[in-house]
Amino acid sequence: MVSRAEPSLSGRWWWSIDRLILAALIALMVSGVVLLMAGGPPVAERLGLSTFHFVNRQAAYLAGAIVIFLSVSFMTPRQVRRAALILYVGSLAMVVATLYFGVEVKGAKRWLTLGLLGSVQPSEFLKPAFVVIAAWAFAEGTRRPDLPGTILAMLILPISIAPLVLQPDFGQTMLISLVWAGLFFVAGLHWFWVIGLGGIGATGIFIAYELVPHVRARIERFMDKGSGDSFQVDTALESFAQGGWLGKGPGEGTVKRILPDAHTDFIFAVTAEEFGVIVCMILVLLFAIIVIRSLFVAQKSEDPFTRLAVTGLALLFGIQAAINMMVNLHMMPAKGMTLPFISYGGSSLLSLAVGTGFLLALTRRRPRSAELGSYRG
């Protein structure tokens, strides 16, 4: 055990970190590898890969993610802002680059090939950086009305989502917009603007429905199964029905063998079939612990930036998880959203490590003078 009097950096980190959030995050990371052993092998075999191809790659990504996660959690709020600014500029530039040099997959250009590093999805890294920068701008607007912080916060949204719409990636666009709207509300701006934003969002969905064929198809399949191919959603629901409360047991699932995205978008359904609804509820509880605990810490913070950034990062994490699980349960149209730390994906895992690292860094206990002092710069 590390003594409270330990003056080292690691000692100070251990006694200042929120260990409930840390424990829940580590539990999710470990669960992701275990659950991928159920959903990954059938997909690998269908693609002619080695049985544990996805499991081994996820374990390798996780090792790097843990290093990033822990390293970022040592940062001060000032360092978090600076790191987020660098990441935001770099990832936004890469998102724009995908429009010209990206690899087209299922009609969308969301991936960029970086030589020996392989393919990366820049929009994944844009999300946590966007949240921190938007929170910073809103906080500056609240703290110093003479600065154009609120205007910058309002400009950063269209700047960020415009290239995402052009890819097109409406799932990430919706996620970023929802989190931004949450920050807008928490920043204390008038209800009139919140209602107006809701109207703008509804208008955007209507325009996408009218002008983008695959958006129209997804919404129509959600509203009427007979209007198109609903194989994945129907199969996912069958997984829940067959698994019951306790599941069929590890390796005994059958629906996963015909579910195309069993290792990514629909791993929650695979979990239900093999491990049961009870394990799914435990996963939901872990996500809820992280989000609720983070919001509780944010509410107690006296630093406007910390309060907004923690709130935004918690919303980003929670809404993404909720969207994935709701799609699996046919409660909303398919969005192609990963389940944080559970679904397979290197870009997703590494970006989550950055985002949750930011979250841990900002929820660390600090003296009030240090917290407010770190706000400047």
Side-chain angles (χ1 to χ4, degrees):
M1 293 295 292
V2 180
S3 168
R4 285 183 180 272
E6 174 63 54
S8 69
L9 183 63
S10 60
R12 294 195 300 271
W13 177 87
W14 175 250
W15 287 109
S16 63
I17 206 75
D18 192 298
R19 276 168 273 178
L20 180 59
I21 297 176
L22 177 64
L25 287 169
I26 292 175
L28 282 177
M29 292 179 188
V30 175
S31 299
V33 176
V34 173
L35 298 176
L36 192 60
M37 293 181 71
V43 179
E45 291 170 5
R46 285 200 301 270
L47 297 175
L49 303 170
S50 62
T51 302
F52 292 102
H53 172 81
F54 293 115
V55 177
N56 293 335
R57 287 176 66 88
Q58 187 80 343
Y61 288 135
L62 182 59
I66 289 174
V67 172
I68 294 172
F69 168 72
L70 293 176
S71 300
V72 172
S73 70
F74 277 85
M75 290 182 175
T76 63
R78 179 179 299 176
Q79 291 169 336
V80 167
R81 291 194 295 273
R82 292 176 178 175
L85 180 59
I86 294 170
L87 182 62
Y88 177 78
V89 173
S91 57
L92 183 61
M94 291 173 66
V95 169
V96 173
T98 61
L99 301 175
Y100 301 95
F101 311 108
V103 178
E104 186 169 328
V105 179
K106 297 180 181 179
K109 290 186 175 182
R110 302 172 187 172
W111 296 85
L112 203 60
T113 302
L114 300 178
L116 296 176
L117 296 177
S119 297
V120 64
Q121 188 175 0
S123 60
E124 291 286 351
F125 297 92
L126 180 69
K127 292 184 296 186
F130 167 85
V131 170
V132 173
I133 298 303
W136 187 7
F138 274 124
E140 285 290 345
T142 302
R143 189 176 68 92
R144 296 185 58 184
D146 57 311
L147 294 178
T150 302
I151 295 175
L152 290 174
M154 297 184 74
L155 289 176
I156 195 175
L157 179 64
I159 291 171
S160 301
I161 66 174
L164 294 178
V165 171
L166 294 174
Q167 285 185 337
D169 191 343
F170 291 101
Q172 302 286 25
T173 299
M174 184 181 74
L175 177 59
I176 286 177
S177 300
L178 286 173
V179 175
W180 184 90
L183 287 174
F184 192 100
F185 176 74
V186 174
L189 299 176
H190 198 278
W191 270 99
F192 172 81
W193 293 107
V194 177
I195 296 171
L197 285 172
I200 293 172
T203 302
I205 293 173
F206 177 76
I207 293 172
Y209 175 81
E210 289 292 329
L211 300 180
V212 184
H214 84 270
V215 173
R216 175 192 289 267
R218 286 185 176 184
I219 294 176
E220 289 180 349
R221 283 199 301 270
F222 174 73
M223 301 299 294
D224 177 15
K225 289 185 178 182
S227 64
D229 180 16
S230 58
F231 173 76
Q232 291 216 90
V233 172
D234 292 342
T235 307
L237 288 175
E238 186 179 345
S239 296
F240 286 92
Q242 292 195 17
W245 287 102
L246 300 177
K248 293 181 175 180
E252 298 300 318
T254 56
V255 176
K256 66 184 182 182
R257 302 188 184 282
I258 59 173
L259 194 58
D261 296 323
H263 63 318
T264 53
D265 299 353
F266 289 93
I267 196 168
F268 192 61
V270 174
T271 300
E273 184 185 20
E274 295 207 354
F275 299 96
V277 173
I278 290 178
V279 171
C280 289
M281 292 173 68
I282 292 173
L283 287 179
V284 173
L285 178 62
L286 289 173
F287 286 115
I289 287 172
I290 294 166
V291 173
I292 294 172
R293 176 63 181 173
S294 298
L295 293 177
F296 176 75
V297 174
Q299 186 268 334
K300 294 196 302 180
S301 176
E302 297 185 34
D303 173 19
F305 164 70
T306 300
R307 183 168 60 251
L308 287 168
V310 171
T311 298
L313 291 167
L315 289 175
L316 179 69
F317 190 78
I319 293 173
Q320 179 170 334
I323 289 174
N324 177 277
M325 291 184 284
M326 289 172 72
V327 167
N328 275 249
L329 292 166
H330 195 52
M331 296 174 67
M332 68 181 301
K335 291 294 177 188
M337 198 78 66
T338 58
L339 186 59
F341 290 121
I342 307 297
S343 296
Y344 170 78
S347 294
S348 174
L349 195 57
L350 295 177
S351 72
L352 284 164
V354 174
T356 53
F358 285 161
L359 183 66
L360 274 181
L362 294 171
T363 53
R364 286 172 57 190
R365 291 183 294 275
R366 294 180 175 87
R368 180 176 180 275
S369 58
E371 181 182 36
L372 294 176
S374 68
Y375 182 71
R376 300 180 182 277

